Amino acid sequence: MVNIFINHILEATLGQTLLNVFLLILCLYPVVGSFFWFAGALSYRFLKTNKRDTDWQLIPPAKQPLITIMIPAHNEEVMIEETITYLFEELNYENFEVLVMNDGSTDRTAEIIAALQTKYPRLRTVKILKNKGKAHAFNIGMYFAKGEYILSNDADTIPEKDALMKYMNFFVHDRDMNTSAVTANMDVQNRTKLLGKSQTVEFSSIVGVIKRSQTSINDSMYAYSGANTLYKKSFLIDVGGFRQNRATEDISIAWDHQMVGAVPRFAPNIVFHMNVPETIHDLYKQRKRWAQGGTEVWLTNIKKFIFHPIQRRYQISMFVDSTLSIIWSFFFVITTVMFIALMLYFLFTGNYERIFHGLMISFVFVTFELMAGFMQLLAALLLDHRGAKLKYWFFAPLYMLFYWMVNPVTVVMTFIPALKTILGFGSCTWVSPERKSLQKK
């Protein structure tokens, strides 16, 4: 009996210890994550920088592989002419075509494309009668594409002039035979408002640093940049194309590629320009879609990692981080609600000392998170475009707090819709956001 009693005490103590360790990990997850991405970015810069990032070669016209630039378009009359004109007039690459997938547009998109076809013989279009989403349009277009490589290019996206030439430097060598896609480095065009300036910092730090870190660790990547990524068409076919019932086709295809052993690449020297949301409402809608897409791929692949961890060992870091991110999101929302309720209770009962202690502890945690985030941001801005965006670092602190609050809320809010999608009730129609000219006038 004594032995049984002692064993119960030891088991309870061990269980409590493990629980405390787990809660500590969740509390420190944002801080540890920032240091992890910071170290990964430095590793990419000093240990694994690919010469193709800085020393790319011109490919003679006779040896240029054919690239199909695919533009899925739904009601894009504002941007479509400007984008197509830029692609044909400005890109430093000869062997390409432009294929516009007119996905159920009800505006002047089809009329504009028809007029442009008289000017540009390499412009083709496929009309889809009913809007069924970007992934559906892309899957149809994939079988009309003449090119061995397909560049996804949103209607509001303008790649730099040397983009295609730089992209192909990641595919033309024998060592690149297993490269499935190369994703570019996004640059925010509309920086006139505070939110645009803040997202300039975000895409350099949170997006750019994370992609560098993932690439440097084990050639993994959570997501491609859906607005501008060059795919090898054979790898798109190998995984059955894009998942049409997913909120984010660029996240799901990146995971699908890695599940078959393909290698994604990040090319920070290839820059494309696009608009970002300029209102809190539009930004929240965008982040909800991103959060749902991330949860969907986690739910889709969870059994593969649980039952075949050795086989998936090269992608295990992605799965662990995604798991912790989702759990931490629920932890953050629940504990925040509990904290607010407790502070209100102390306020109504006049226990101001407990309120002071609670606020001080919160201040300590937030301070550590900001310090870690500042290091990540500073490293990112120094690495990206050789420090050209350092002037936007001023807009970082408030946005970092905003990002850390919005991200877990969107994960929690979209978890049930993501679960419904995995159970077969998802849909992926789309509505184009408000467009603005990308050309500086």
Side-chain angles (χ1 to χ4, degrees):
M1 291 293 294
V2 174
N3 289 337
I4 295 176
F5 179 71
I6 293 174
N7 287 336
H8 277 302
I9 293 176
L10 291 175
E11 289 176 0
T13 303
L14 179 61
Q16 185 64 42
T17 301
L18 292 176
L19 178 61
N20 290 337
V21 170
F22 182 66
L23 291 176
L24 180 63
I25 290 173
L26 290 179
C27 288
L28 297 178
Y29 172 73
V31 178
V32 175
S34 292
F35 279 111
F36 180 81
W37 301 129
F38 171 74
L42 294 182
S43 174
Y44 180 90
R45 170 62 180 86
F46 295 107
L47 300 179
K48 201 175 181 177
T49 299
N50 196 308
K51 288 185 178 181
R52 290 170 295 188
D53 287 348
T54 55
D55 190 24
W56 53 277
Q57 303 295 321
L58 289 173
I59 303 174
K63 295 184 178 180
Q64 292 176 1
L66 176 61
I67 297 174
T68 296
I69 302 177
M70 192 180 300
I71 306 177
H74 175 67
N75 292 340
E76 299 287 1
E77 64 179 5
V78 175
M79 285 297 305
I80 196 69
E81 181 174 1
E82 184 177 303
T83 300
I84 292 174
T85 301
Y86 174 90
L87 294 175
F88 280 113
E89 299 291 341
E90 301 295 338
L91 290 183
N92 297 327
Y93 196 91
E94 294 188 20
N95 195 20
F96 73 91
E97 64 169 354
V98 176
L99 177 63
V100 180
M101 303 305 299
N102 185 6
D103 190 19
S105 296
T106 56
D107 62 358
R108 296 180 55 252
T109 298
E111 178 184 337
I112 294 171
I113 295 171
L116 289 172
Q117 283 182 298
T118 62
K119 184 178 182 181
Y120 303 114
R122 289 178 292 161
L123 172 61
R124 298 190 296 134
T125 184
V126 175
K127 182 178 181 181
I128 302 173
L129 296 178
K130 185 176 180 181
N131 169 23
K132 292 187 178 181
K134 182 177 178 181
H136 175 261
F138 212 106
N139 285 341
I140 292 178
M142 187 168 61
Y143 293 97
F144 285 91
K146 296 179 180 179
E148 180 184 355
Y149 300 90
I150 299 177
L151 176 71
S152 67
N153 195 97
D154 284 356
D156 68 338
T157 298
I158 291 179
E160 64 167 290
K161 296 181 180 182
D162 292 322
L164 296 186
M165 196 70 71
K166 291 180 179 180
Y167 269 129
M168 286 313 307
N169 272 259
F170 286 83
F171 289 101
V172 295
H173 306 96
D174 291 339
R175 63 179 180 273
D176 302 322
M177 62 181 300
N178 205 33
T179 299
S180 55
V182 179
T183 194
N185 194 5
M186 176 183 169
D187 187 39
V188 175
Q189 181 76 11
N190 52 330
R191 304 177 190 175
T192 56
K193 296 184 178 180
L194 177 61
L195 204 55
K197 291 180 172 67
S198 300
Q199 288 175 86
T200 299
V201 177
E202 176 193 359
F203 282 104
S204 292
S205 61
I206 299 171
V207 176
V209 163
I210 287 176
K211 280 184 166 60
R212 284 180 174 89
S213 300
Q214 292 163 358
T215 303
S216 68
I217 294 169
N218 57 5
D219 286 330
S220 64
M221 193 175 296
Y222 290 26
Y224 299 133
S225 296
N228 207 256
T229 293
L230 185 64
Y231 299 92
K232 192 171 185 178
K233 186 165 69 173
S234 60
F235 276 106
L236 291 176
I237 296 172
D238 286 344
V239 297
F242 293 87
R243 294 177 183 259
Q244 296 179 186
N245 63 341
R246 296 296 191 261
T248 50
E249 81 292 335
D250 47 356
I251 298 178
S252 63
I253 194 70
W255 282 63
D256 288 343
H257 275 160
Q258 289 163 99
M259 290 301 102
V260 298
V263 178
R265 302 289 185 193
F266 175 54
N269 71 313
I270 304 176
V271 179
F272 67 94
H273 309 275
M274 65 175 294
N275 284 325
V276 295
E278 293 186 314
T279 66
I280 298 296
H281 177 261
D282 289 341
L283 182 66
Y284 181 70
K285 285 174 58 179
Q286 181 195 64
R287 300 313 158 93
K288 278 183 66 178
R289 185 172 63 85
W290 289 4
Q292 181 174 337
T295 302
E296 286 171 357
V297 296
W298 180 77
L299 290 170
T300 299
N301 296 287
I302 187 170
K303 289 197 301 184
K304 299 176 183 177
F305 285 98
I306 291 176
F307 295 110
H308 306 285
I310 303 301
Q311 183 181 351
R312 307 296 178 189
R313 62 190 180 277
Y314 295 113
Q315 297 84 33
I316 196 69
S317 62
M318 288 180 14
F319 175 73
V320 171
D321 184 61
S322 296
T323 303
L324 286 175
S325 178
I326 292 172
I327 295 175
W328 178 80
S329 296
F330 280 91
F331 172 78
F332 174 84
V333 172
I334 293 171
T335 54
T336 299
V337 172
M338 292 173 61
F339 177 79
I340 294 174
L342 194 59
M343 291 298 102
L344 290 174
Y345 171 76
F346 290 146
L347 178 64
F348 290 134
T349 57
N351 195 342
Y352 302 115
E353 183 180 355
R354 295 296 299 272
I355 294 177
F356 176 77
H357 289 163
L359 293 177
M360 287 300 99
I361 292 174
S362 301
F363 178 77
V364 170
F365 273 103
V366 170
T367 301
F368 275 108
E369 289 181 2
L370 286 175
M371 289 175 60
F374 274 141
M375 291 184 62
Q376 176 181 332
L377 286 167
L378 185 59
L381 293 174
L382 288 173
L383 291 174
D384 208 25
H385 303 295
R386 298 181 179 179
K389 298 179 182 178
L390 271 172
K391 61 183 178 181
Y392 295 107
W393 191 58
F394 174 79
F395 302 95
L398 291 178
Y399 188 80
M400 287 166 57
L401 289 176
F402 172 77
Y403 175 84
W404 276 329
M405 288 187 289
V406 167
N407 189 52
V409 171
T410 55
V411 170
V412 173
M413 293 293 292
T414 59
F415 189 84
I416 297 301
L419 187 60
K420 288 182 178 179
T421 296
I422 300 305
L423 295 175
F425 301 100
S427 63
C428 200
T429 57
W430 59 327
V431 177
S432 295
E434 182 182 352
R435 302 299 196 194
K436 293 183 180 179
S437 173
L438 288 173
Q439 300 287 347
K440 294 182 179 180
K441 298 178 180 179

